[in-house]
Amino acid sequence: MAERVKDRVEQVWKRMAAAARRGGRDPGEVELVAVTKTVPVPRIREAVDAGVTTLGENRVQEASDKIALLSPLPVTWHLIGHLQTNKSRSAAELFDLIHSLDSVKLAAALDRHGAALGKQIRVLVEVNLGGEPSKTGVLEHDLLPLLHACRQFTHLAIEGLMAIPPYRKNPQDVRPFFRRLRQLRDQAAKACFDYPLRHLSMGMSHDYEIAIEEGATLIRVGTAIFEERPVL
């Protein structure tokens, strides 16, 4: 019999707390984002019933459908996948936090939508730590220029950084990438002190404990909660 979603959530929380303590941190500093990509609504409800309060989606359209169905539930939604400018209006309306800002063009669009909606659009800057052509995100040397360029936007709140490091079979081998993102965040916070760069979104099912030890404040966990899902 497959493990229940509730049991899996509780196991993730236990491991999160242990990792935080190993890193000398308060477990309350780390937020679990349950990744619901391709997960059917009944299983998402199970996770929420187990206490999950933050859900993450990769695609705007899939999220829109689920948000409509789950609107009565006390949850917030994060966009963790790449965001195209032509979907930015919907993203600005739907999500509490967007993890994937990667260009001034997208920042300008979100700022414009924020002004129209009368709200601050909360975002993280995605950094391509491995310089992988297959992944989105700004390269390290483009991070500070992007942050400086975004100072002109009054309806955009940049709250930290996000990264999807290169996959390594041994999670310990990903530690240098997580450490590097933390260093970049700290350097950026000094250079752009008007941004409250409090968040580090890093770590997934395979390596979230290492990410927490290295300072993650948001971990994006899907498989460890919902098991393997079909690839769409």
Side-chain angles (χ1 to χ4, degrees):
M1 181 179 175
E3 213 174 1
R4 294 182 305 165
V5 169
K6 180 178 185 293
D7 297 330
R8 287 173 164 269
V9 169
E10 291 175 353
Q11 183 64 24
V12 168
W13 274 333
K14 287 178 183 176
R15 292 171 66 178
M16 286 172 62
R21 285 192 288 270
R22 287 195 300 272
R25 305 176 62 202
D26 177 353
E29 296 175 4
V30 189
E31 182 177 354
L32 170 63
V33 180
V35 179
T36 55
K37 176 184 176 183
T38 75
V39 176
V41 166
R43 286 181 72 75
I44 298 174
R45 288 184 184 276
E46 288 182 57
V48 176
D49 289 343
V52 168
T53 58
T54 305
L55 303 174
E57 273 290 338
N58 288 64
R59 297 187 178 97
V60 173
Q61 185 55 56
E62 184 179 348
S64 177
D65 297 340
K66 289 176 180 175
I67 290 170
L69 290 169
L70 296 169
S71 58
L73 299 183
V75 295
T76 56
W77 291 84
H78 290 193
L79 180 66
I80 60 174
H82 177 61
L83 176 59
Q84 296 175 316
T85 305
N86 63 357
K87 299 284 182 65
S88 58
R89 170 77 190 207
S90 295
E93 293 174 339
L94 292 169
F95 295 100
D96 182 65
L97 181 65
I98 295 169
H99 290 223
S100 48
L101 178 66
D102 61 359
S103 71
V104 176
K105 180 183 177 183
L106 178 58
L110 290 170
D111 179 68
R112 186 169 65 252
H113 300 318
L117 294 165
K119 64 184 281 192
Q120 290 291 110
I121 308 302
R122 300 173 57 224
V123 301
L124 308 178
V125 176
E126 181 178 1
V127 182
N128 187 340
L129 289 176
E132 297 172 277
S134 61
K135 289 182 179 175
T136 55
V138 299
L139 299 176
E140 288 187 24
H141 60 77
D142 292 325
L143 174 60
L144 286 182
L146 175 61
L147 290 174
H148 286 301
C150 288
R151 280 177 160 156
Q152 65 185 294
F153 302 128
T154 57
H155 287 80
L156 192 72
I158 299 178
E159 299 187 1
L161 306 182
M162 182 273 257
I164 304 173
Y167 178 81
R168 299 288 186 267
K169 187 174 182 179
N170 182 350
Q172 289 290 346
D173 294 337
V174 190
R175 188 183 295 276
F177 293 100
F178 294 144
R179 189 168 293 164
R180 180 59 182 156
L181 192 69
R182 187 184 76 233
Q183 292 168 347
L184 287 171
R185 190 273 311 271
D186 293 347
Q187 292 166 8
K190 290 179 181 178
C192 305
F193 57 85
D194 45 344
Y195 289 124
L197 302 176
R198 62 192 183 94
H199 281 308
L200 286 173
S201 172
M202 59 188 194
M204 297 186 284
S205 292
H206 179 60
D207 52 23
Y208 68 84
E209 292 165 280
I210 305 298
I212 291 170
E213 291 173 10
E214 292 298 331
T217 63
L218 296 161
I219 59 166
R220 310 178 304 272
V221 178
T223 303
I225 293 173
F226 299 109
E227 302 179 296
E228 292 289 345
R229 288 149 291 162
V231 178
L232 297 183

